[in-house]
Amino acid sequence: MALKSWVESANDPATDFPIENLPFGVFRGAGQDGPRIGLAIGDHIVDVAGCYDAGLLEAVDELVQAACTAPGLNELMALGNDAARAVRQTVAGMLRAESLMRSELEPHLVPMAHTEMLVPCDIGDYTDFYAGIHHATNVGSMFRPDNPLLPNYKWVPIGYHGRSSSIVVSGTAFRRPHGQTRPDPNAPPQFGPTRRLDYELEVGLFIGRGNELGERIPIERAEEHAFGLCLVNDWSARDIQTWEYQPLGPFLAKNFATTISPWIVTLDALEPFRAAPFARAQGDPQPLPYLAGSQRGGFDLTLEVWLRTPAMSAPVRLSRGSFGGMYWTMAQLVAHHASNGCNLEPGDLLASGTVSGETKESRGSLLELTWGGKEPLTLPNGEQRTFLEDGDEVIFRAYCEREGYARIGFGECRGVVLPAT
Ligand code: CA
């Protein structure tokens, strides 16, 4: 049964942010000096630091209260998921329709339209995985037709260390990058603006409580280290990538910009939307014990990609897929990342890898949708696209829906491509 709030917009069945969601973010309001921690509710933000100032968080531990006044989420993340749970539950209680606290809490609600969202924490390290087997197979068959899925794929979650300094929040425009490419294998390489700019639809996981250097995270405890999920656009320059990726993997084809959605949806909010544990195909190896254990399923999260070209007034949907069919769960990615004793820190970001399904309409990149540029997309207004053009805006959306539960949404992850300088 959906809970009711006195914030009317939170009761709209189409909202991303009902009272059951209350995702964490960091915002700057009009007339406020510093960034502040907030919780999304309908089309408003609860100013959590303001709640602290007004003494509305006294039910939670003092350390947790202090963490709520920080300009980012790292301190709260470090205190573990019980801390975040206590803050959400306390605020949720005051937001309930029947709460007697409305008049106390209402002054600390800010309309989203009057705020600017920021990157929600200091992201010390960023790792990008490759957990979608359909994406790995599609890309592999374009880059290596004779050998699409490498023999390690079903045994070890593949990933690489990305760059956190170029992670930007939704709504930040970025320039088309320059790079070295070799379009003609019989001619020398060239340097110039990428001609094959793409997006990658991914889900990100923010680490909450970390692990000490040298300590592993058992798979059974991996989710205790997950503060929550967001959307990630791993912008990719395919022509640069093709030329540079061997033998050490992605580098300048990826690190010019990565866009994240501003709200971090907690695993508590997603719990009603568990997917059945992933069933590996017959003949596939079972995960090694450190990746198996008592793992639970992932989440039945629906993901959409929308495109708005400069000639369009409204965006069009390019694809829709599900996060439920990933080959490795986020818990497995966390356990694997720490399996050598690598220390994960509060605020670290782990991205899933491109989420693509079996069908064409569920492919999470233009590389796959246009099959390497060979099958251009025709948009409803007659325009064609193989890769992104200047002025194009890519918008990701995600949500969980299940009969009997309030819809849980992620908000949007947007970015516009500016011309190269
Ligand atoms: Ca990626």
Side-chain angles (χ1 to χ4, degrees), residues 111-195:
M112 281 182 183
H114 298 173
T115 62
E116 172 196 5
M117 296 306 297
L118 307 169
V119 173
C121 56
D122 286 330
I123 304 172
D125 275 301
Y126 162 49
T127 302
D128 193 19
F129 283 94
Y130 201 49
I133 192 168
H134 301 295
H135 172 72
T137 305
N138 287 339
V139 173
S141 58
M142 279 178 261
F143 281 47
R144 295 176 304 275
D146 49 331
N147 192 14
L149 206 60
L150 294 171
N152 56 5
Y153 189 85
K154 293 177 178 177
W155 292 96
V156 57
I158 302 296
Y160 67 95
H161 286 300
R163 185 160 184 91
S164 50
S165 68
S166 49
I167 296 175
V168 297
V169 77
S170 177
T172 310
F174 68 97
R175 291 216 171 270
R176 176 180 296 274
H178 281 67
Q180 194 180 129
T181 61
R182 193 175 195 181
D184 178 355
N186 299 310
Q190 312 168 349
F191 184 78
T194 175
R195 283 182 282 195

Side-chain angles (χ1 to χ4, degrees), residues 128-129 160 200 202 234 254 353-354:
D128 193 19
F129 283 94
Y160 67 95
E200 287 192 341
E202 307 199 18
D234 176 24
K254 302 274 193 177
T354 307

Side-chain angles (χ1 to χ4, degrees), residues 205-228:
L205 176 147
F206 279 103
I207 294 295
R209 195 161 49 77
N211 60 305
E212 294 294 323
L213 182 62
E215 303 273 323
R216 298 195 306 235
I217 296 177
I219 181 88
E220 296 82 4
R221 316 211 69 161
E223 288 192 353
E224 296 171 26
H225 295 265
F227 185 79

Side-chain angles (χ1 to χ4, degrees), residues 3 50 204 302 312:
L3 300 174
T302 300
M312 289 175 184

Side-chain angles (χ1 to χ4, degrees), residues 384-404:
Q384 289 207 320
R385 282 293 181 278
T386 49
F387 292 96
L388 296 171
E389 297 189 5
D390 292 344
D392 284 355
E393 180 175 34
V394 178
I395 305 152
F396 295 168
R397 295 175 184 155
Y399 50 89
C400 292
E401 287 176 337
R402 188 165 282 179
E403 186 72 36

Side-chain angles (χ1 to χ4, degrees), residues 32 36-37 46-57 68-69 108:
Q32 285 173 338
R36 297 164 86 88
I37 294 173
V46 178
D47 174 358
V48 175
C51 292
Y52 168 82
D53 291 338
L56 299 178
L57 300 181
C68 288
T69 65
H108 306 290

